[in-house]
Amino acid sequence: MALVALANAKGSPGTTTAALVLALQWPRPVLLVEADLAGASILAGYFRGQLPHDRGLQPLAIAHSHGDLEAAFWDQTIPLVRDDPDRKLLPGIVSPHTAPAVANLWGPLANQLVALERGGIDVLVDLGRLGTGGVVREDREPIVRLADQVLITTGSRLPDIAVTRELVKSRTSVVDAAARELTNLAVLTVGPGRPYDATEIARTLGLGTVGSLAWDPVNAEVLSVGSPAGRRYSTSPLVRSAGPVISRIQDRTEKRRARFSTGPREGSHTSGPRRPPERWGESASPAVQAAPWRGGEGSGA
């Protein structure tokens, strides 16, 4: 595994919540990067505004302008889960108005993220809404291009599928049918069966699928707005559905690399920050079932 990005079309739900639940269940050390140009929501939602927004992409962009991107990288991250050094968050920008301040960061950052694989660290990137070919300038294109998988999240209702189809068409319009089998694009359905299932949606979009996350609004609010995790959160439909999606992501990544006859990447144009200052575990910690940042209410017991 290496670099996986999640994105959506206008009005399509659940990308940040999907990125969080996957990061919390990820079987290896993982960094979650909040790269939504509409503004960050994890500190205000998942962390309930309890942490200051003084770290993240904006200070990292300033460090990059001084030639200190690699040295400053881990200082701009925070633990995603208390007492778990294997899961970290790089917070995003405060608002859309500050997006121009990080416009020159995306290319160098993409290279840094790819290089993390050398240190045994996987990366999930929440892109939020993805620009459509030529209509919206997409500064984050280096991340999309270098990602092993770009998961286009969509709901299962017709309006969701319609806007997602236009996004997919804009990303694949210059690719012939044979080459589409090698694309890093895949579909992640949020809330299947309302009324269409993941297979039907993938067929309509002309892409492969990594499956679906359950429609589970009550437990999704543990991640989206910091609601207390109930006694059954760890066995909730949302949490249980994350495991099969992760397996499908791993399988698609391995098959795509095999097709290109490539193994784990040896790095990129930069050596990259291999490890954060504190020592990450030699092996992945057990799957996290909730958000222990909030003491007892996040234990998931």
Side-chain angles (χ1 to χ4, degrees):
M1 291 302 299
L3 176 58
V4 177
L6 293 90
N8 61 39
K10 177 182 178 180
S12 193
T15 302
T16 299
T17 299
L20 271 167
V21 73
L22 294 177
L24 291 171
Q25 303 303 312
W26 205 256
R28 282 168 36 108
V30 65
L31 170 69
L32 174 58
V33 179
E34 198 171 16
D36 190 341
L37 296 183
S41 61
I42 293 177
L43 290 180
Y46 174 71
F47 287 108
R48 297 195 302 188
Q50 295 178 350
L51 300 178
H53 201 147
D54 58 356
R55 288 189 251 180
L57 292 179
Q58 286 177 257
L60 195 60
I62 295 173
H64 169 56
S65 70
H66 296 149
D68 296 328
L69 175 60
E70 183 176 340
F73 186 85
W74 291 114
D75 291 338
Q76 298 308 319
T77 67
I78 62 175
L80 189 59
V81 177
R82 188 188 298 277
D83 299 325
D84 185 352
D86 285 343
R87 301 171 202 280
K88 288 188 176 291
L89 170 71
L90 178 61
I93 60 176
V94 175
S95 75
H97 304 293
T98 57
V102 298
N104 294 328
L105 178 63
W106 300 114
L109 178 61
N111 287 328
Q112 295 279 11
L113 298 180
V114 169
L116 292 183
E117 184 179 19
R118 299 169 62 194
I121 301 166
D122 295 330
V123 182
L124 300 179
V125 183
D126 173 13
L127 293 171
R129 182 184 176 187
L130 194 62
T132 54
V135 178
V136 178
R137 178 183 173 185
E138 185 49 78
D139 293 322
R140 300 164 298 169
E141 194 65 36
I143 292 177
V144 177
R145 186 173 61 252
L146 291 177
D148 291 286
Q149 296 292 310
V150 178
L151 309 183
I152 306 299
T153 65
T154 179
S156 63
R157 294 182 173 180
L158 192 56
D160 300 324
I161 299 168
V163 294
T164 302
R165 185 176 185 181
E166 291 306 308
L167 171 61
V168 171
K169 284 170 61 178
S170 75
R171 305 295 308 184
T172 59
S173 59
V174 297
V175 181
D176 61 35
R180 288 186 190 187
E181 295 182 12
L182 303 179
T183 181
N184 61 357
L185 296 178
V187 185
L188 171 60
T189 301
V190 178
R194 310 175 67 243
Y196 302 103
D197 64 32
T199 301
E200 290 176 301
I201 294 170
R203 187 183 306 117
T204 298
L205 299 178
L207 295 177
T209 177
V210 294
S212 58
L213 293 174
W215 183 255
D216 188 2
V218 172
N219 289 296
E221 288 193 349
V222 174
L223 306 177
S224 62
V225 298
S227 296
R231 187 179 300 273
R232 298 181 180 177
Y233 175 80
S234 63
T235 57
S236 66
L238 176 63
V239 172
R240 286 189 287 109
S241 65
V245 169
I246 292 172
S247 295
R248 294 283 290 274
I249 295 170
Q250 293 172 330
D251 183 59
R252 284 185 59 85
T253 298
E254 291 170 2
K255 288 181 177 178
R256 185 168 182 265
R257 287 187 172 185
R259 231 177 231 257
F260 284 114
S261 298
T262 62
R265 289 179 287 209
E266 292 300 324
S268 58
H269 299 158
T270 177
S271 59
R274 297 192 182 186
R275 293 274 174 177
E278 64 271 31
R279 178 175 175 272
W280 286 41
E282 292 300 326
S283 60
S285 60
V288 178
Q289 303 295 351
W293 259 100
R294 296 186 288 277
E297 62 180 44
S299 66

